[in-house]
Amino acid sequence: MTNASVQAAKETDVRLASQAYRARRQKRAKKAGSGPKPVIHPLSWWRTRLAHDYRKVDIAIARHFLSRTGVIGEPHWHLAAAGSGAVALGVAQRGQRKRPSPLLNDVTMTAVLCAALEGDSSAALMIAAAVSQRAQTGGDARAVSDSWLTFSPGPDLARGPISHPAIKR
């Protein structure tokens, strides 16, 4: 056998193996039904979950992610990440005006989300407005936006900032 025929045989083997793998995977997916639900990252919760679908632990999870972030050019970001609703609103508004970026928007709006869940009605209105702007992209954005217009924290949500071991106050 020549080098070219050996190479062609290897390529054929790889192609056949990948086709067989795809076929097995498709067969398994059909057998399993709809499969597991996709996991939604906490930084995108503000635009994907209804206002009344949150629990107290969700605030702690979101704050944990925020405690690991920083926003360049915002010296008071740590206050927003730790629970200051007014600072979170200001940082989010400046971020949307100055340097629109999907990641920056998700980070700052997650801080606004935490403030809203802790009882800040201004933060809830800001989330409703931001999600309403995204409603043109389709999906459940209209329902999410409307849920924030009537939101008031229930008994299973804290009225003030909650403590989390990852956040040092």
Side-chain angles (χ1 to χ4, degrees):
M1 286 185 127
T2 65
N3 283 341
S5 63
V6 169
Q7 183 65 25
K10 285 182 182 179
E11 288 175 4
T12 303
D13 288 345
V14 168
R15 188 169 25 90
L16 291 174
S18 66
Q19 287 174 349
Y21 173 74
R22 275 195 299 269
R24 282 192 311 269
R25 194 173 64 200
Q26 288 173 351
K27 187 177 177 181
R28 249 185 267 132
K30 281 183 182 177
K31 192 176 185 180
S34 63
K37 291 184 178 181
V39 176
I40 299 172
H41 195 279
L43 293 181
S44 64
W45 283 349
W46 70 273
R47 57 186 156 87
T48 57
R49 291 175 61 184
L50 296 175
H52 302 285
D53 289 346
Y54 293 93
R55 295 172 300 154
K56 196 173 182 178
V57 70
D58 295 329
I59 300 171
I61 291 169
R63 289 251 183 254
H64 177 73
F65 274 94
L66 292 175
S67 71
R68 305 282 191 256
T69 64
V71 176
I72 296 173
E74 291 291 346
H76 301 294
W77 168 248
H78 67 283
L79 296 173
S84 174
V87 175
L89 288 167
V91 171
Q93 286 176 340
R94 282 190 297 277
Q96 290 173 352
R97 266 198 316 259
K98 288 182 183 176
R99 46 189 185 271
S101 151
L103 180 59
L104 176 66
N105 194 35
D106 278 347
V107 169
T108 58
M109 289 303 291
T110 298
V112 173
L113 168 72
C114 291
L117 293 173
E118 291 166 346
D120 189 333
S121 58
S122 301
L125 289 175
M126 183 173 191
I127 293 173
V131 173
S132 178
Q133 289 174 351
R134 300 176 62 91
Q136 299 167 354
T137 62
D140 296 329
R142 178 73 58 205
V144 172
S145 175
D146 291 347
S147 73
W148 283 104
L149 293 175
T150 59
F151 176 73
S152 65
D156 51 336
L157 286 176
R159 277 283 180 193
I162 63 172
S163 62
H164 187 274
I167 300 175
K168 308 286 189 267
R169 292 186 193 257

